[in-house]
């Protein structure tokens, strides 16, 4: 992101905490963005082919603290999977680190001392839809949560966030969808 005013706005930890508290959201990608998070979706996906085919974007924010590693998972329509074992995954996912954890203006409680890395592995749900195969640990790719970094990845592949060993790790997450997830379809209908 090159818009300094947006980057400055994203340094407000309350903005991130509010995003986390409001849960997962849906934006159709055609209407005018209603908030900074939908503007980020637009910035991330507008020039990418995956964004052109989208029905919309599911997005949320995560704040990870020193509470153990995240679990291995694939992104999917949780309601459809719970109700009918139907496995519907996004076209592609993105993680954006818009909070500067190493800035001198960040409070000590928001600094990352270590951890909070994104782990990816090239194993999808067809290999094992319900449980991560620990035998494949040697194939893990680790990506650090560097400020202003966007990671575009296939979120239907296994991924997780490693344990944060101090402070908080803020991230914006967005999935490009070719369908409206059930949780949002019910709200729209």
């Amino acid at each position: 992101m090159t818009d300094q005013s947006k980057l400055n706005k994203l340094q407000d930890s309350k903005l991130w905490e509010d995003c986390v508290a409001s849960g997962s959201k849906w934006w159709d990608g055609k209407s005018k963005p209603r908030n900074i998070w939908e503007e980020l979706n637009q910035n991330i996906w507008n020039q990418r082919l995956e964004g052109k085919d989208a029905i919309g974007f599911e997005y949320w924010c995560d704040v990870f603290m020193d509470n153990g590693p995240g679990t291995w998972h694939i992104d999917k329509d949780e309601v459809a999977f719970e109700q009918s074992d139907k496995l519907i995954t996004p076209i592609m996912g993105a993680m954006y680190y818009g909070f500067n954890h190493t800035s001198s203006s960040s409070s000590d409680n928001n600094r990352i001392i270590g951890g909070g890395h994104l782990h990816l592995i090239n194993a999808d749900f067809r290999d094992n839809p319900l449980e991560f195969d620990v035998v494949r640990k040697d194939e893990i790719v680790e990506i650090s949560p560097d400020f202003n970094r966007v990671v575009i990845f296939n979120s239907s592949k296994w991924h997780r966030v490693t344990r944060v060993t101090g402070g908080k790790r803020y991230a914006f997450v967005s999935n490009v969808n070719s369908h409206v997830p059930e949780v949002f379809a019910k709200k729209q209908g």
Side-chain angles (χ1 to χ4, degrees), residues 61-105:
C61 296
D62 281 327
V63 178
F64 289 91
M65 296 173 275
D66 188 6
N67 56 359
T71 57
W72 285 100
H73 67 281
I74 59 173
D75 291 358
K76 59 190 173 297
D77 185 327
E78 298 289 345
V79 174
F81 188 71
E82 246 177 58
Q83 292 178 351
S84 63
D85 283 338
K86 201 189 241 182
L87 195 54
I88 305 169
T89 60
I91 297 170
M92 195 65 69
M95 190 167 291
Y96 174 65
Y97 305 106
F99 185 85
N100 191 351
H101 296 91
T102 59
S103 159
S104 59
S105 64

Side-chain angles (χ1 to χ4, degrees), residues 24-35 37-46 54-59 172 174-177 180-181 184 188:
S24 184
K25 293 161 275 312
W26 177 258
W27 178 54
D28 64 16
K30 292 157 187 53
S31 59
K32 182 179 178 189
R34 300 166 291 194
N35 54 52
W37 311 113
E38 291 177 2
E39 290 173 13
L40 284 174
N41 270 306
Q42 195 173 52
N43 289 349
I44 292 168
W45 297 112
N46 256 9
I55 296 294
F57 306 87
E58 180 179 12
Y59 66 94
F172 171 74
S174 171
N175 280 331
V176 178
N177 286 286
V180 178
F184 302 111
Q188 290 177 351

Side-chain angles (χ1 to χ4, degrees), residues 7-188:
L7 284 172
N8 290 342
K9 186 175 181 178
L10 289 168
Q11 301 321 297
D12 178 1
S13 58
K14 183 172 177 359
L15 181 74
W16 291 89
E17 302 284 348
D18 290 347
C19 180
V20 170
S22 65
S24 184
K25 293 161 275 312
W26 177 258
W27 178 54
D28 64 16
K30 292 157 187 53
S31 59
K32 182 179 178 189
R34 300 166 291 194
N35 54 52
I36 193 165
W37 311 113
E38 291 177 2
E39 290 173 13
L40 284 174
N41 270 306
Q42 195 173 52
N43 289 349
I44 292 168
W45 297 112
N46 256 9
Q47 301 305 313
R48 299 193 55 90
L49 286 176
E50 297 91 345
K52 306 268 187 244
D53 295 332
I55 296 294
F57 306 87
E58 180 179 12
Y59 66 94
W60 63 94
C61 296
D62 281 327
V63 178
F64 289 91
M65 296 173 275
D66 188 6
N67 56 359
T71 57
W72 285 100
H73 67 281
I74 59 173
D75 291 358
K76 59 190 173 297
D77 185 327
E78 298 289 345
V79 174
F81 188 71
E82 246 177 58
Q83 292 178 351
S84 63
D85 283 338
K86 201 189 241 182
L87 195 54
I88 305 169
T89 60
I91 297 170
M92 195 65 69
M95 190 167 291
Y96 174 65
Y97 305 106
F99 185 85
N100 191 351
H101 296 91
T102 59
S103 159
S104 59
S105 64
S106 294
S107 75
D108 287 343
N109 289 337
N110 291 328
R111 288 183 182 271
I112 286 186
I113 296 168
H117 294 86
L118 177 63
H119 275 182
L120 306 170
I121 189 164
N122 191 21
D124 64 19
F125 58 85
R126 289 171 201 85
D127 295 331
N128 191 348
L130 301 176
E131 189 176 316
F132 176 70
D133 182 1
V134 294
V135 174
R136 300 185 71 169
K137 283 198 288 192
D138 62 328
E139 300 174 37
I140 294 171
V141 173
E142 182 173 274
I143 302 170
S144 62
D146 297 340
F147 174 59
N148 206 22
R149 171 178 274 173
V150 176
V151 181
I152 306 291
F153 66 103
N154 185 340
S155 56
S156 70
K157 306 280 185 179
W158 288 97
H159 58 281
R160 73 170 184 171
V161 173
T162 64
R163 180 174 174 248
V164 174
T165 55
K168 297 179 181 178
R169 197 276 264 149
Y170 296 90
F172 171 74
V173 186
S174 171
N175 280 331
V176 178
N177 286 286
S178 59
H179 77 290
V180 178
E182 290 292 323
V183 68
F184 302 111
K186 291 177 182 184
K187 290 178 186 176
Q188 290 177 351

